[in-house]
Amino acid sequence: MERKVRVRFAPSPTGPLHIGGVRTALYNYLFAKKHGGDFLLRIEDTDQTRFVPGAEEYIIEAFDWLGIKFDEGQGIGGDYGPYRQSDRKPMYKEYADKLIETCWAYYAFDSPEELDNVRKEFEKEKKNFQYDCNTRAALKNSLSLSKEETNTLLENNTPYVIRFKFPKDTEIIIHDLIRGEVRMNSNLLDDKVLYKSDGMPTYHLANIVDDHLMKISHVIRGEEWLPSCPLHVMLYKAFGWEDTMPKFAHLPLLLKPEGNGKLSKRDGDRLGFPVFPLEWQDPISKETSSGYRETGYFPEAVINILALLGWNSGTEQEIFTLEELIDIFTIERISKSGAKFDLEKAKWFNHQYFQLMPNDKIAEEYLKILKEKGFNASLEFAEKVVSLVKERCSFVQEIWDQSSFFFLRPETYDQKIIKKRWKEDTPQRLGEIADILNSITDFSVETTDQAVHSFIEKNELNMGQIMNCLRLSIVGEGKGPNLFEIICLIGKEETLERINTAIETIGKNE
RNA sequence: GCCCCGUUCGUCUAGAGGCCUAGGACGCUAGAUUUUCAUUCUAGAAACCAGGGGUUCGAAUCCCCUACGGGGUACCA
């Protein structure tokens, strides 16, 4: 009796994939895998005017990066293809005709201009126009016209659309897996266009026909579809497909971090976080939008972030692998209200994954950044640097900020530290330390550490006084990892030169 | 305007009538660790559960109203 779980992600290739769309896909994927079902990708490109070249490829690449695999669909294959609606174009007419035959739909010949005028007329009277059971009798369609008139128009190739004929006084009940029962009265619903004058179906028709033909068991989609769900339910009824109608689940929307409204591309750019999985360049305006991948987020982190934005496991665990998510995911635990994206928490998630990443992997990426900056280093050296500064970073890109002193001598010295720590006898003390370091043949963290410490003890000096100034001369600032780790990595020669430069520079030109 | 959905710390959320003087996480503050900064650890502040009415011995949890937020209202998806 129970049908095999088959769910789909059905984006429209009108641009890069929005992060909210990624979350929708993720929930579909988790649900499918949890139940041993299929997850398919269907491209909904019925609006030819909004087609954006490259968008389809972008979508496929994005999921590839995220590690979310489709079982079938566009670019993958499968038994229910084609999976691009424009390639399925010829079949939709047949279904639209079927609805005309059974009187669930009708031809409408009103031109867009005519409808515009009607709308304006209504507005004048402060009323709202809707093409529905109350107004259709007064408009130009196969319901108001005689059979002969309709046929003549059809024979003359008059442009027409096919509209759904909503029955009067019918209560439509939707059983939403997240929201429970949602009721709507058919009198308030308008006769949506199912088939456009350009020979393409609208979303509503194509969606229902394809979901049926592709044996979709559950429709998990954004909340923006809830208002048109009654139409979809009625379409299943009209086609006589009620017994295999998928179950619906309408997801809450992703909201912008501050203020109100849906998360949009603009917000990301303004607030400094990506709204798209991958970087995207608009083919026409050439404007680029940042992506999670390019910003340094790990796919695992993005999945983790998205999974917890509108869903929770009911436990206190927050870091999940994809496998764990599949295991624990349930639609029942999806929340009903919209979720605001939180940049700080997103960074924290990435930080967690960053710490788990092996040093050599990070070092490889780090070497690329170094190369861009004009530095060549061995993988071994890069790996050591990474191991020293990794825990204070959330992204590979941050490694440089924490480690530039390994490659660049300080050009300036932090004035605050100078003021606080640089005393009259500091140059002399540093000179003595330089001599001691110079005398060490086995230049290691242990030997240098011990040498400097015993020097401080022997002269009864203050630890902070010496160490901070020594750090200042090496790094130029009062921060960074263990000083002896640093001097050993840059080597004796470099260390001594930096100390000498500091002695000569600091306090001289003020 | 009309229709639909929603409303617990700043944010993501736990909570399915008594376990709630509302728990966790991010962020924030303080302390500890450190030669320093960061990390880490510990502690703390932070929601009269949108407001108002009911129902009940008892409500964040059930019902109603209001407010606010969101979505929809295209030959877009």
Side-chain angles (χ1 to χ4, degrees):
Chain A
M1 186 64 211
E2 272 294 294
R3 281 206 293 163
K4 181 174 193 194
V5 168
R6 282 174 60 84
V7 298
R8 82 293 194 282
F9 179 58
S12 164
T14 54
L17 186 58
H18 186 280
I19 201 76
V22 176
R23 190 193 60 170
T24 302
L26 173 65
Y27 287 7
N28 272 283
Y29 173 80
L30 295 177
F31 181 74
K33 294 301 114 185
K34 162 121 190 171
H35 297 282
D38 300 327
F39 177 49
L40 23 173
L41 173 66
R42 185 172 71 218
I43 300 294
E44 309 224 323
D45 58 345
T46 52
D47 185 358
Q48 295 164 319
T49 62
R50 295 208 310 162
F51 174 79
V52 174
E56 189 180 305
E57 292 74 9
Y58 177 99
I59 289 164
I60 290 169
E61 194 188 342
F63 287 112
D64 196 45
W65 175 67
L66 285 162
I68 294 178
K69 287 191 175 59
F70 293 98
D71 297 295
E72 55 180 90
Q74 182 59 30
I76 297 104
D79 299 336
Y80 297 86
Y83 292 94
R84 190 194 282 129
Q85 288 183 330
S86 59
D87 294 338
R88 301 169 69 83
K89 184 176 174 181
M91 63 193 297
Y92 298 114
K93 182 71 195 325
E94 175 196 332
Y95 288 94
D97 286 342
K98 210 176 270 179
L99 291 179
I100 298 246
E101 278 166 37
T102 51
C103 294
W104 277 102
Y106 59 90
Y107 297 106
F109 301 97
D110 322 83
S111 71
E113 295 74 34
E114 285 170 334
L115 286 177
D116 249 16
N117 288 335
V118 181
R119 276 196 190 95
K120 275 175 195 153
E121 286 301 311
F122 270 69
E123 262 170 48
K124 270 184 203 163
E125 292 169 53
K126 297 229 159 117
K127 276 198 267 179
N128 232 283
F129 170 71
Q130 198 169 269
Y131 212 117
D132 59 17
C133 55
N134 299 314
T135 58
R136 61 186 168 227
L139 293 151
K140 216 158 85 191
N141 53 58
S142 58
L143 260 28
S144 61
L145 268 28
S146 71
K147 224 178 186 115
E148 292 69 34
E149 285 172 308
T150 303
N151 284 337
T152 312
L153 285 168
L154 251 23
E155 276 156 25
N156 292 342
N157 289 323
T158 314
Y160 67 87
V161 300
I162 295 174
R163 283 180 183 273
F164 186 71
K165 188 178 146 197
F166 252 111
K168 229 179 156 158
D169 304 321
T170 307
E171 185 169 60
I172 300 147
I173 302 170
I174 298 161
H175 300 277
D176 188 280
L177 262 20
I178 295 171
R179 282 150 222 286
E181 229 171 57
V182 179
R183 292 159 184 274
M184 265 181 259
N185 190 296
S186 67
N187 295 1
L188 273 356
L189 273 3
D190 65 328
D191 293 347
K192 278 269 168 330
V193 170
L194 299 177
Y195 193 82
K196 301 185 267 189
S197 58
D198 65 357
M200 271 291 203
T202 59
Y203 169 87
H204 306 292
L205 210 220
N207 189 266
I208 268 61
V209 168
D210 288 349
D211 280 350
H212 176 254
L213 261 22
M214 294 179 184
K215 296 198 164 60
I216 298 302
S217 64
H218 298 259
V219 170
I220 305 167
R221 71 222 307 191
E223 197 187 6
E224 69 267 29
W225 294 109
L226 193 51
S228 51
C229 198
L231 202 218
H232 304 156
V233 170
M234 285 307 284
L235 278 169
Y236 279 100
K237 187 180 173 137
F239 280 121
W241 298 336
E242 274 173 305
D243 51 339
T244 56
M245 181 171 80
K247 294 201 165 90
F248 293 99
H250 290 92
L251 265 25
L253 264 18
L254 250 34
L255 273 17
K256 53 178 79 180
E258 48 181 47
N260 312 313
K262 255 207 300 197
L263 184 62
S264 71
K265 166 182 158 2
R266 272 199 179 157
D267 301 311
D269 294 344
R270 188 167 50 84
L271 272 16
F273 69 89
V275 179
F276 303 118
L278 276 33
E279 191 173 274
W280 166 262
Q281 183 177 39
D282 189 281
I284 294 154
S285 69
K286 297 290 169 204
E287 193 185 337
T288 60
S289 307
S290 63
Y292 280 87
R293 181 177 65 182
E294 290 73 13
T295 308
Y297 283 89
F298 297 110
E300 298 87 343
V302 174
I303 284 172
N304 206 145
I305 292 163
L306 257 23
L308 262 48
L309 225 45
W311 172 87
N312 78 87
S313 67
T315 69
E316 286 184 357
Q317 185 179 350
E318 294 218 85
I319 302 295
F320 294 96
T321 63
L322 232 202
E323 289 67 34
E324 287 175 313
L325 285 172
I326 289 169
D327 190 48
I328 203 169
F329 183 81
T330 57
I331 289 184
E332 291 69 41
R333 296 204 66 87
I334 294 174
S335 45
K336 294 182 175 75
S337 48
K340 286 186 181 176
F341 185 89
D342 184 357
L343 215 212
E344 290 307 320
K345 189 138 190 185
K347 283 183 190 167
W348 175 81
F349 271 113
N350 211 62
H351 184 262
Q352 303 303 311
Y353 284 91
F354 195 67
Q355 302 317 309
L356 261 29
M357 191 58 63
N359 290 347
D360 57 331
K361 277 265 168 24
I362 299 174
E364 276 172 37
E365 292 302 309
Y366 180 47
L367 280 175
K368 289 182 198 162
I369 295 171
L370 284 177
K371 202 160 191 180
E372 273 172 36
K373 297 193 183 286
F375 297 102
N376 275 310
S378 67
L379 182 67
E380 196 194 355
F381 186 84
E383 224 177 298
K384 275 187 187 157
V385 172
V386 166
S387 72
L388 289 178
V389 300
K390 177 187 182 182
E391 64 184 21
R392 50 186 76 212
C393 300
S394 301
F395 303 95
V396 204
Q397 285 85 339
E398 289 173 357
I399 298 265
W400 171 255
D401 296 328
Q402 299 294 336
S403 64
S404 59
F405 50 81
F406 283 109
F407 305 91
L408 295 166
R409 291 178 184 174
E411 286 180 3
T412 56
Y413 298 94
D414 190 327
Q415 286 300 320
K416 268 189 197 157
I417 308 278
I418 295 175
K419 239 182 191 158
K420 201 173 165 196
R421 309 280 191 178
W422 198 271
K423 298 283 147 61
E424 229 164 88
D425 67 336
T426 303
Q428 189 212 326
R429 295 302 188 187
L430 286 184
E432 288 167 22
I433 288 174
D435 289 340
I436 292 171
L437 290 175
N438 192 23
S439 69
I440 299 175
T441 44
D442 168 30
F443 204 75
S444 72
V445 177
E446 292 74 30
T447 53
T448 51
D449 188 330
Q450 212 171 50
V452 173
H453 276 247
S454 58
F455 168 81
I456 291 168
E457 267 173 48
K458 206 168 69 189
N459 293 286
E460 294 179 342
L461 291 165
N462 183 317
M463 187 72 161
Q465 209 68 26
I466 293 300
M467 288 303 289
N468 282 297
C469 288
L470 186 56
R471 175 179 293 278
L472 186 70
S473 64
I474 306 290
V475 178
E477 290 177 278
K479 48 185 164 184
N482 185 297
L483 229 203
F484 301 104
E485 296 276 6
I486 299 175
I487 62 173
C488 282
L489 250 190
I490 61 176
K492 195 204 266 189
E493 300 272 309
E494 181 68 21
T495 302
L496 295 179
E497 279 200 50
R498 288 193 189 187
I499 294 173
N500 288 330
T501 310
I503 293 172
E504 282 164 27
T505 320
I506 300 176
K508 296 272 161 77
N509 39 0
E510 275 173 61

